[in-house]
Amino acid sequence: MEVFMNYVVVRQSPMYRQMSLDELWFAEDVQPTLISTNITNTRTYEVEDISYTLARHTGKQQGVFLLMHKLSEFNKQYADLFAVERKSLYREFYIPKRSGGLRKIDAPNEELMKALKDLKRIFEDDFGVLYHTSAFAYIKHRSTIDLVKRHQSNESKWFAKFDLSNFFGSTTPEFLMKMISMIYPFTEVVRYPQGAADLAKALSLAFLDGGLPQGTPISPLLTNIMMIPVDYKLFNTLRKFNNQRYIYTRYADDFIISSRYDFKPAEIEGLISQTLKDFDAPFAIKKEKTRYGSSAGSNWNLGVMLNKDNQITVGHKKKKQFQAMLASYIMDKSHGVSWDYHDIQVMEGYRSYYKMVEGDTIDRIVEHINQKFNVDVVKMIKEDLRS
């Protein structure tokens, strides 16, 4: 039987340039130079037992009994919700998927929404939970662009993408509890029978029909916590897998693995499947959605492309469509035709997102449109959105 380890996650400190001895000894008022100010990266440690020294350096100073008290008080405050038939607390609707079809959303009512937000705050503020550095979804100051930049920094040329089947819906209370019990400081809470019972009860409020519903404020956070051991194992194994360096990233249920050199995606798929099996994960890879290719082709990942020149782009077609959209908006406006508020929001959303990906190129497109029609299109958009 496999013995599972414990995991401690801490924030990655800012990186400074190493100073020479001459600078340290002889230079006056020398200030260290920052190499990286990225405060969203984390470092995960795998340990057999949580030592006092290691726990002390995580910055989570709250005592275990205070954490247990927080959970106990939460369960008392929302006792009425535990007694209500869970389905009655949700409103069900569907939204279109980007890949086609419909995605089911279960939205909690006002009272349950408040409870789940409170539980999320307890986990974030009191427990101080984080995420593995390879996770990018549902995390403040992280985006799909940051994920692709991780592969860009490696100058990767070959990419494999694997999707999990029914990631949220397949996550069971038993699996979540098992995985979260390996993460500090939950490791300390579950040492006490009452702490384990209160944690399991609080977590049960996040479930619907035996799975995590999409549409609640806490489901994304819980998946990032429970995947820390999986992310840790895949991240470290792939760094030197088959004598080749791979970059591992995860965006919710999407695994994106890359390398500078051609590789066999079936071997990576086998590693992921075995890792999920090792942790008794209740979900598996959706084989029909597995994709493999190089930056020399149409290498799209999460809506952007890392091209053959190692540049992140939204693609020529999307930029041409955006330019045409701006021109149509200006021409319609000059003829007294007003666009729907939602359509203007969508156009401004494209501009903001594309600018985040390719700032200089989008600025040139906007400037070209301004000169062609003798307008300030950004000002026009903002005025229409304010009116």
Side-chain angles (χ1 to χ4, degrees), residues 8 29 84 89 115 147 186 215 240 260 278 302 333 348 373 380:
V8 178
D29 299 324
V84 177
L89 301 175
L147 181 150
F186 298 102
K240 296 179 181 179
R260 292 184 180 182
D278 289 343
L302 303 173
K333 198 170 178 65
E348 175 60 9
F373 294 97
M380 291 168 62

Side-chain angles (χ1 to χ4, degrees), residues 26 37 121 138 143 145 150 156 197 257 301 342:
F26 303 115
T37 58
R121 180 193 55 75
Y138 320 118
S143 68
I145 309 304
R150 183 71 64 86
S156 294
I257 291 93
N301 285 301
H342 173 73

Side-chain angles (χ1 to χ4, degrees), residues 133 169 173 184 249 254 279 300 304 315:
T133 195
Y184 180 84
T249 55
D254 291 341
F279 287 102
W300 291 97
V304 297

Side-chain angles (χ1 to χ4, degrees), residues 359-374:
D360 292 342
T361 302
I362 300 305
D363 285 343
R364 285 195 296 271
I365 289 174
V366 169
E367 183 59 30
H368 170 73
I369 289 292
N370 286 343
Q371 292 180 2
K372 181 176 180 179
F373 294 97
N374 193 28

Side-chain angles (χ1 to χ4, degrees), residues 17 24 79 245 304 354:
R17 177 181 65 83
L24 288 171
R245 174 179 166 80
V304 297
Y354 292 170

Side-chain angles (χ1 to χ4, degrees), residues 47 51 66 83-84 88-89 116 130 170 203 216 229 236 255 312 334 385:
V47 294
S51 70
L66 180 56
V84 177
S88 67
L89 301 175
L116 296 178
L130 290 168
S170 295
L203 288 174
T216 78
N236 285 281
F255 296 91
I312 302 174
S334 68
L385 290 175

Side-chain angles (χ1 to χ4, degrees), residues 74 81 86-87 89-93 95 103-121 123-124 137-138 168-169 171 176 202-209 211-224:
F74 172 84
L81 291 177
R86 192 64 47 82
K87 196 76 173 177
L89 301 175
Y90 283 88
R91 178 175 62 90
E92 179 184 304
F93 62 95
I95 60 173
R103 185 186 307 279
K104 179 185 174 185
I105 301 296
D106 291 291
N109 67 13
E110 185 176 349
E111 187 179 7
L112 180 58
M113 178 69 81
K114 181 180 182 301
L116 296 178
K117 284 182 177 179
D118 282 351
L119 186 57
K120 180 174 182 281
R121 180 193 55 75
F123 288 160
E124 289 179 330
Y138 320 118
F168 283 83
T171 298
L176 176 63
L203 288 174
S204 72
L205 198 60
F207 283 84
L208 175 66
D209 295 332
L212 287 176
Q214 295 194 55
T216 78
I218 199 170
S219 290
L221 174 73
L222 294 178
T223 59
N224 274 337

